[in-house]
Amino acid sequence: MPEYPIVVRELGGKMRLGVEGADDLAASVREVVTEGYERIDVEAREDGEAVGRVVAAADKQSIRTVEWDG
């Protein structure tokens, strides 16, 4: 199953969450990012730091699970 890292990036002087490489994923990752802001203090993280991963179904049509790092 395809996996996509959830990564903190500095954009415009602010730390933001994103799911990298998810352009080919048909499922929306908006809810994943929203949940991430509730779980992760992004301002305390480094640019490029992985904080979790999205595991998609083999056909990339849906999200099977979201795994958050410690």
Side-chain angles (χ1 to χ4, degrees):
M1 286 178 264
E3 293 187 12
Y4 303 88
I6 304 168
V7 178
V8 176
R9 292 286 182 201
E10 183 176 357
L11 299 171
K14 294 188 177 188
M15 302 306 271
R16 304 284 186 200
L17 279 179
V19 180
E20 295 197 342
D23 294 337
D24 65 342
L25 181 60
S28 173
V29 296
R30 183 179 4 199
E31 288 181 24
V32 173
V33 172
T34 300
E35 179 183 348
Y37 281 112
E38 294 171 4
R39 290 176 168 264
I40 307 294
D41 180 3
V42 295
E43 294 300 324
R45 302 298 180 124
E46 298 290 325
D47 183 39
E49 185 175 350
V51 294
R53 70 200 58 65
V54 172
V55 180
D59 64 4
K60 300 181 183 177
Q61 297 299 307
S62 62
I63 294 171
R64 304 250 324 163
T65 188
V66 177
E67 300 169 355
W68 297 100
D69 297 341

